[in-house]
Amino acid sequence: MALLVEVHVPLTPTPGLPPGEYPFPWIEQVEDFLVDLEEEGAAESCDEGTTFGDYFVFFLVGATEAGLLAASSRVAALKGVPAGSFALVTDTEAPEMGTGRRVGLPL
């Protein structure tokens, strides 16, 4: 069992995009940022991000709770990431996604 933080970002389309453009370009931006976090040794991305209700969820492991929440806060503060993100502090053995202690982001 390992500490896991789920980063829930509202699936809000980016305003002002030309018609026909992918409405959630911030997802790829966050994925690139998570690669940078791994290279820094700040946190590791665990699994692929996924849609969960009205949110897109990214999974972080490999650090202390404070470290994972700091990384989650950095994700939420990225330019273009919709407001209203939150983290769920849980573990890798949780019976289902979307459970755990909720923490508003950014910190």
Side-chain angles (χ1 to χ4, degrees):
M1 176 174 75
L3 184 64
L4 170 79
V5 169
E6 299 176 4
V7 182
H8 293 245
V9 180
L11 269 173
T12 304
T14 299
L17 291 176
E21 290 287 318
Y22 181 62
F24 310 110
W26 51 266
I27 292 174
E28 185 174 314
Q29 177 188 359
V30 170
E31 289 172 342
D32 291 344
F33 181 75
L34 294 178
V35 169
D36 293 342
L37 283 179
E38 285 189 36
E39 289 174 358
E40 290 174 17
E44 297 174 24
S45 181
C46 173
D47 294 329
E48 296 288 321
T50 189
T51 302
F52 184 72
D54 293 334
Y55 292 87
F56 195 87
V57 182
F58 302 93
F59 304 94
L60 297 177
V61 296
T64 64
E65 180 176 327
L68 293 175
L69 288 174
S72 299
S73 185
R74 290 173 63 190
V75 167
L78 289 171
K79 184 177 179 176
V81 172
S85 297
F86 65 90
L88 288 178
V89 179
T90 186
D91 63 67
T92 55
E93 299 297 318
E96 59 188 5
M97 188 170 68
T99 60
R101 182 171 49 86
R102 185 177 173 140
V103 178
L105 297 173
L107 299 175

